[in-house]
């Protein structure tokens, strides 16, 4: 790509240095989750901290009665139902709770329009397993929530349960991450090396509740309690019991921060080289023949494996391509085995990894070309709710394939979407991470003379906005990654933001 790092902001460079040096510490930094926090409250995982947990959940409720980001409507049902079920027992003791639950029930009555007879690829992780159990729990409390809008979701859940029944998921597997939606009993076999179940605070809280009367599990239960405490600390809120939707994510954080530097052409930046090199060597040592997962204790996945291989480049050869091919299915690339929805960006990152080793990527490229919308965008990615993220990641991949017509259409879509303030955002406001993706994509695209003045002006406005807004705060608009709940892997997004302040378009 035609990108040249220019240290325009010493503050950005210093921030990026510190970030790279701290990659993976504390298991990674993750935003707090309404869904997982509600489940932890539901199962009384933090009995000494109920007041703080309830207060935090109430603060997250939106003015329309629901929880979650309004611009991603299908990601709102799960946290809203979980919050109702968790808060309902406190409706008499805390007046605000009764009003919150009434508002949430009214909100859910209007959610049916967002659920049709078929499901998109970008539904929250495990939703088809989690929603049926939560609705059953709500019904047992006398809370009527119409299940009819979720018929297609329930059908998908039945398929998923059948696959899980055949596979007998192990500790640290993708299925274990949603254990609270399908698990029963209380075997210690689902506890992984993190001390939790499936790197999921919600699944761990459910397992602790299920095992509360089981003898012989004292050590496993102690590890699970310790896991929840550490997970809560990763949010940096300082509120015990407010937990993220996934943790630990230290390898995900490492692979993705370094991948951002690869894409931004900053791996060899003289101001970063000394902190980057040890991380690269550690990433290379951690890449197994089977791939890489969000931590060394979790299942390998095609997306993190692709980004790690693309980041390492020739450093990971010759075993890298054989590792990547393990995730190939009929010319496309999957994230996890037995997944039922594909991911645009997993295939985009696989293309980048293949390109780094001179391998043919025409089949996944064809899939991405087929998924481009008439307006030039790519929408509906499985792992990120912003079309700006999906579009820019696919554009960067298709540059490697020379698909300039598709890239041009994507660029034009970005230019049309730039806000008056100069930033980009798929929701109601511009966000730093989405603006960074757009700024980078504009830098990376080879432009003709007719486009150059327009794209340079757009880059200049976006860069100026980013210079003034290069932070990530608690605004829900920053929660764009798709897990069970929308979330933000803080160091990952910060790396893209700070790195984008160190590049500029080709002269």
């Amino acid at each position: 790509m035609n990108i040249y790092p220019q240290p325009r902001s010493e503050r950005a460079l210093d921030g990026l240095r510190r970030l790279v040096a701290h990659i993976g510490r504390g298991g990674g930094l993750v935003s707090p989750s309404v869904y997982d926090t509600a489940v932890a409250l539901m199962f009384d995982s933090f009995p000494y901290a109920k007041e703080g947990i309830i207060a935090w959940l109430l603060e997250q409720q939106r003015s329309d009665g629901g929880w979650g980001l309004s611009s991603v409507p299908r990601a709102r049902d799960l946290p809203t139902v979980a919050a109702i079920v968790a808060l309902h027992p406190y409706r008499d003791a805390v007046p605000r709770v009764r009003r919150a639950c009434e508002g949430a029930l009214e909100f859910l009555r209007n959610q049916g329009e967002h659920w049709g007879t078929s499901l998109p690829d970008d539904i929250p992780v495990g939703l088809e397993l989690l929603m049926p159990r939560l609705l059953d729990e709500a019904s047992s409390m006398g809370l009527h929530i119409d299940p009819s809008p979720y018929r297609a979701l329930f059908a998908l859940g039945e398929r998923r349960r059948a696959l899980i029944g055949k596979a007998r998921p192990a500790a640290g597997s993708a299925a274990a991450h949603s254990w609270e939606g399908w698990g029963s009993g209380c075997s210690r076999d689902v506890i992984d090396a993190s001390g939790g179940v499936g790197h999921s605070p919600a699944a761990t809280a459910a397992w602790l509740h299920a095992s509360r009367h089981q003898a012989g599990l004292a050590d496993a239960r102690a590890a699970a309690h310790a896991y929840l405490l550490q997970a809560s600390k990763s949010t940096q809120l300082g509120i015990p019991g407010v937990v993220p939707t996934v943790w630990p994510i230290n390898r995900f954080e490492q692979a993705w921060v370094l991948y951002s530097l690869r894409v931004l052409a900053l791996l060899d930046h003289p101001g970063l080289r000394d902190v980057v090199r040890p991380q690269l060597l550690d990433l290379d040592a951690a890449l197994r023949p089977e791939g890489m997962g969000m931590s060394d204790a979790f299942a390998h996945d095609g997306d993190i494996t692709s980004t790690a291989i693309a980041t390492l480049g020739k450093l990971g050869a010759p075993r890298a391509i054989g590792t990547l091919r393990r995730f190939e299915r009929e010319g496309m690339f999957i994230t996890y085995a037995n997944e039922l929805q594909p991911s645009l960006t997993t295939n985009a990152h696989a293309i980048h990894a293949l390109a780094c080793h001179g391998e043919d990527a025409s089949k996944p490229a064809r899939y991405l070309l087929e998924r481009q919308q008439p307006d030039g965008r790519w929408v509906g990615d499985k792992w990120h709710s912003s079309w700006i993220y999906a579009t820019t990641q696919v554009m960067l991949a298709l540059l490697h394939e020379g698909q300039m017509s598709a890239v041009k259409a994507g660029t034009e879509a970005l230019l049309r979407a730039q806000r008056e303030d100069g930033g980009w955002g798929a929701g109601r406001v511009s966000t730093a991470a989405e603006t960074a993706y757009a700024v980078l994509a504009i830098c990376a695209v080879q432009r003709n003379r007719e486009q150059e003045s327009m794209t340079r002006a757009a880059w200049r406005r976006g860069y100026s906005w980013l210079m003034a807004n290069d932070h990530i705060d608690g605004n829900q608009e920053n929660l764009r990654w798709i897990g069970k709940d929308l979330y933000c892997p803080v160091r990952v997004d910060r790396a893209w933001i700070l790195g984008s302040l160190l590049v500029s378009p080709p002269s």
Side-chain angles (χ1 to χ4, degrees):
M1 291 191 307
N2 197 11
I3 299 178
Y4 301 96
Q6 298 178 6
R8 295 173 176 268
S9 169
E10 289 300 321
R11 182 167 60 90
L13 182 61
D14 290 344
L16 198 52
R17 275 187 60 84
R18 290 193 298 272
L19 188 152
V20 172
H22 286 81
I23 286 174
R25 289 192 186 180
L29 300 183
V30 195
S31 60
S33 161
V34 168
Y35 166 74
D36 288 74
T37 298
V39 172
L41 176 64
M42 190 189 316
F43 291 125
D44 203 20
S45 302
F46 294 84
Y48 54 88
K50 290 178 184 178
E51 184 177 345
I53 296 169
I54 291 170
W56 183 83
L57 284 173
L58 291 172
E59 288 170 3
Q60 310 313 305
Q61 189 175 26
R62 307 295 288 243
S63 60
D64 61 7
W67 276 265
L69 198 57
S70 57
S71 59
V72 192
R74 284 185 296 271
R76 304 189 71 189
D77 299 68
L78 186 66
T80 299
V81 176
I84 293 172
V85 171
L87 291 170
H88 184 70
Y90 306 96
R91 65 195 181 281
D92 295 328
V94 185
R96 285 181 62 199
V97 167
R98 182 180 294 276
R99 296 193 296 272
C101 290
E102 289 171 353
L105 288 169
E106 181 61 30
F107 166 81
L108 288 169
R109 293 187 188 103
N110 300 314
Q111 277 293 91
E113 63 184 87
H114 301 296
W115 299 94
T117 56
S118 61
L119 294 172
D121 295 331
D122 59 349
I123 61 173
V125 171
L127 183 64
E128 69 278 9
L129 299 169
L130 308 174
M131 186 64 84
R133 282 203 171 178
L134 271 179
L135 290 178
D136 286 345
E137 185 64 26
S139 179
S140 73
M141 293 178 164
L143 299 168
H144 178 68
I145 300 172
D146 183 9
S148 59
Y150 309 112
R151 289 193 185 100
L153 189 69
F154 292 173
L156 181 66
E158 290 175 3
R159 291 175 59 195
R160 180 76 69 194
R161 284 188 180 84
L163 290 171
I164 289 172
K166 292 178 182 178
R168 296 182 179 180
S173 64
H177 183 68
S178 299
W179 186 90
E180 75 273 28
W182 59 267
S184 60
C186 49
S187 170
R188 68 171 67 237
D189 293 342
V190 295
I191 300 291
D192 58 52
S194 72
V197 177
H199 283 36
S200 164
T204 304
W207 183 89
L208 276 167
H209 181 76
S211 66
R212 65 194 183 282
H213 301 309
Q214 182 70 34
L217 292 176
D219 56 340
R221 286 179 54 78
H225 278 297
Y227 165 87
L228 287 176
L229 285 171
Q230 290 300 313
S232 184
K233 291 178 181 179
S234 77
T235 68
Q236 295 192 310
L237 282 184
I239 306 175
V242 176
V243 293
T245 199
V246 59
W247 184 87
I249 60 163
N250 52 302
R251 289 300 180 194
F252 166 44
E253 189 174 274
Q254 181 183 48
W256 266 92
V257 168
L258 295 176
Y259 180 67
S260 73
L261 301 185
R262 165 67 75 185
V263 172
L264 291 157
L266 294 173
L267 284 178
D268 292 321
H269 190 291
L272 297 172
R273 195 177 297 130
D274 63 318
V275 290
V276 165
R277 183 65 178 175
Q279 294 285 358
L280 281 174
L281 293 174
D282 185 64
L283 182 70
D284 180 54
L287 181 63
R288 306 263 69 82
E290 300 80 21
M292 179 174 285
M294 70 177 81
S295 84
D296 293 337
F298 200 76
H300 310 109
D301 80 67
D303 200 20
I304 296 173
T305 299
S306 295
T307 56
I309 290 171
T311 298
L312 292 169
K314 296 302 181 182
L315 182 63
R319 57 188 167 89
I321 292 303
T323 297
L324 182 61
R325 296 289 186 194
R326 294 174 61 87
F327 300 93
E328 188 174 16
R329 301 291 186 275
E330 299 179 356
M332 289 170 50
F333 288 82
I334 63 170
T335 311
Y336 291 109
N338 298 320
E339 69 182 6
L340 300 179
Q341 295 98 1
S343 165
L344 291 167
T345 57
T346 293
N347 281 276
H349 301 142
I351 289 173
H352 191 181
L354 290 167
C356 287
H357 292 274
E359 296 282 324
D360 175 58
S362 58
K363 288 184 178 180
R366 189 178 309 124
Y367 163 71
L368 295 180
L369 291 170
E370 291 170 352
R371 288 287 303 270
Q372 189 171 27
Q373 301 295 303
D375 63 4
R377 300 180 304 158
W378 280 268
V379 300
D381 183 57
K382 182 175 182 175
W383 301 117
H384 203 287
S385 65
S386 172
W387 71 265
I388 296 166
Y389 169 84
T391 297
T392 55
Q393 297 296 300
V394 172
M395 285 170 57
L396 293 170
L398 293 181
L399 278 171
H400 292 293
E401 291 296 295
Q403 297 289 345
M404 299 310 300
S405 177
V407 171
K408 178 182 177 183
T411 304
E412 291 170 349
L414 288 176
L415 295 178
R416 290 193 299 271
Q418 190 171 24
R419 294 176 177 273
E420 290 186 6
D421 63 9
W424 278 265
R428 295 179 175 179
V429 298
S430 299
T431 71
E434 290 171 291
T435 300
Y437 299 137
V439 163
L440 167 62
I442 288 172
C443 284
V445 171
Q446 298 285 340
R447 297 175 300 277
N448 59 43
R449 290 183 181 274
E450 288 74 24
Q451 292 179 297
E452 185 171 352
S453 61
M454 185 182 301
T455 52
R456 183 171 288 277
W459 171 83
R460 189 177 296 112
R461 291 177 59 221
Y463 183 90
S464 295
W465 185 91
L466 199 57
M467 282 288 290
N469 299 274
D470 65 344
H471 57 282
I472 297 175
D473 56 25
N475 191 321
Q476 292 188 30
E477 293 288 341
N478 292 313
L479 308 180
R480 285 288 173 181
W481 293 76
I482 299 175
K484 296 174 185 175
D485 220 348
L486 297 182
Y487 73 103
C488 173
V490 178
R491 288 187 183 122
V492 171
D493 278 6
R494 284 289 292 157
W496 289 92
I497 294 164
L498 295 174
S500 292
L501 291 172
L502 300 176
V503 299
S504 62
S507 56

